[in-house]
Amino acid sequence: MDGGERYEIGELARRTGVSVKTIRFWADRGIVPPTDRGPSGHRRWAPAAVARVDLVRTLRELGCCAGWPGWPSGSAGGWSTSSSTRPSPA
């Protein structure tokens, strides 16, 4: 480990607006893998993970993730996007 700043899952969720459950799901599938684990065994992410979570969320909202290995099929990757800030189709 390089000794840099690390975020535990709750802090990463707070910074990105994505739920802890979703981050855990993505981490378990290798979509947003943790950088390392802390002394207590909890997953930790480097600051660059914030951008990665934002990218994955955007791709999910665009429907680009359907068909990825380990990803739920269906519109919006299988998740509701009702809380999204996307504009409604005209």
Side-chain angles (χ1 to χ4, degrees), residues 15-84:
R15 288 176 177 267
T16 60
V18 174
S19 73
V20 167
K21 184 176 179 181
T22 297
I23 293 171
R24 194 172 288 124
F25 176 87
W26 291 346
D28 289 346
R29 281 152 184 80
I31 297 164
V32 182
T35 303
D36 61 20
R37 291 192 178 255
S40 61
H42 294 165
R43 299 176 242 207
R44 300 187 312 178
W45 287 264
V50 172
R52 186 170 179 118
V53 168
D54 287 340
L55 173 63
V56 172
R57 183 182 54 213
T58 299
L59 291 173
R60 184 191 81 185
E61 289 174 352
L62 293 172
C64 298
C65 300
W68 286 5
W71 204 265
S73 60
S75 65
W79 288 281
S80 167
T81 56
S82 60
S83 63
S84 156

